[in-house]
Amino acid sequence: MTSSDSPDNAAETPETPAAQTGVAAMDWAAASADPQYRAAVVDLLGALAYGELAAFERLAEDAKLAPTMGDKAELAKMASAEFHHFERLRDRLAGIGEEPTQAMEPFVAAYDGFHKQTAPSDWLEGLVKAYVGDSIASDFYREVAARLDSDTRALVLAVLDDTGHGGFAVEKVRAAIEADPRVGGRLALWARRLMGEALSQSQRVVADRDALSTMLVGGVADGFDLAEVGRMFSRITEAHTKRMAALGLAA
């Protein structure tokens, strides 16, 4: 993923309890004895894996729109990092006896639909899309990670490491707005559209996958209930507002 952990670029990660209980205190071997929890984790890893693969493809495409050779090289480096994240998730799925392609398949339509509906028209829109869209997804997965078993949590947090796109996007977008302030209004509207589409897609994905939805409302992993889900999306929205400010855009 491409979100950053800086205060302006990420939601506040839920504090890890001093003494973890339930699933969060277990390793994978113990936690996966619960078939419903195992199914939820397979869904989670499948969604993450396809997201990383899609991010790799998108960054490679965005590189074609880059105005300079240096920009192309930066995006190519980020794309490589995303593919490495995909490989780690793919290998983890295979390592726990799951077929990676099958685990990813339920999420293909949602991801592809989102990208089709939010195809950028130029280089700057592509940067904002990667920065805003991927960061929203990363915030969501970090929230969930705090309630996972220790082995899965470590992997999820590792593949959410910043690939450098956050700082790169902020630098380029701010420079473009400084050169032409009219760009700011257009990109602000674009970012608001991305926010709405990303939240709608994530909610649809969760609703369609029973194991994932049960995890979020507290039936599998610890710490979530319906009220907490609402607070979680509030934190994600607040983080989006901070990112918009970092870009120099109105939320």
Side-chain angles (χ1 to χ4, degrees):
M1 293 291 173
T2 57
S3 73
S4 167
D5 287 330
S6 68
D8 288 336
N9 298 320
E12 294 182 5
T13 303
E15 293 183 3
T16 302
Q20 293 177 325
T21 60
V23 171
M26 299 179 187
D27 61 11
W28 169 251
S32 62
D34 180 344
Q36 193 174 32
Y37 177 76
R38 180 187 177 91
V41 169
V42 170
D43 271 354
L44 184 67
L45 297 182
L48 264 171
Y50 191 71
E52 295 290 352
L53 185 59
F56 160 73
E57 293 177 325
R58 190 184 64 249
L59 284 170
E61 285 296 314
D62 287 350
K64 298 177 182 178
L65 300 173
T68 71
M69 189 66 70
D71 292 336
K72 290 180 185 291
E74 283 297 316
L75 288 183
K77 182 172 69 175
M78 295 171 200
S80 177
E82 299 287 14
F83 192 76
H84 178 61
H85 290 166
F86 160 73
E87 290 178 314
R88 292 189 64 178
L89 291 158
R90 178 201 62 195
D91 293 348
R92 176 61 175 166
L93 283 163
I96 62 174
E98 299 292 335
E99 211 293 310
T101 301
Q102 291 180 4
M104 291 188 288
E105 185 61 37
F107 307 99
V108 171
Y111 272 104
D112 288 356
F114 170 74
H115 291 307
K116 182 177 180 180
Q117 292 173 26
T118 59
S121 62
D122 61 20
W123 156 251
L124 290 173
E125 286 190 2
L127 286 179
V128 171
K129 178 180 176 179
Y131 181 55
V132 171
D134 286 358
S135 294
I136 292 169
S138 292
D139 288 346
F140 172 77
Y141 289 126
R142 283 192 177 90
E143 293 273 358
V144 175
R147 279 79 181 176
L148 298 173
D149 68 271
S150 58
D151 297 321
T152 305
R153 181 169 62 248
L155 173 62
V156 169
L157 293 177
V159 299
L160 295 179
D161 278 349
D162 181 24
T163 62
H165 206 137
F168 183 76
V170 167
E171 176 188 350
K172 297 298 179 180
V173 171
R174 277 189 169 275
I177 294 172
E178 184 176 348
D180 182 1
R182 293 173 300 177
V183 170
R186 174 172 66 87
L187 293 181
L189 289 173
W190 172 243
R192 286 196 285 273
R193 178 185 170 194
L194 291 169
M195 176 68 172
E197 290 286 350
L199 288 179
S200 295
Q201 285 289 359
S202 64
Q203 290 166 347
R204 280 196 290 269
V205 167
V206 170
D208 289 344
R209 305 299 296 175
D210 290 342
L212 272 181
S213 60
T214 302
M215 174 184 281
L216 284 178
V217 298
V220 178
D222 300 322
F224 273 103
D225 55 27
L226 288 173
E228 175 58 19
V229 171
R231 289 190 291 270
M232 176 187 73
F233 280 106
S234 292
R235 289 191 293 269
I236 291 172
T237 301
E238 290 170 5
H240 169 71
T241 300
K242 291 180 181 180
R243 288 192 193 94
M244 293 284 281
L247 288 169
L249 302 175

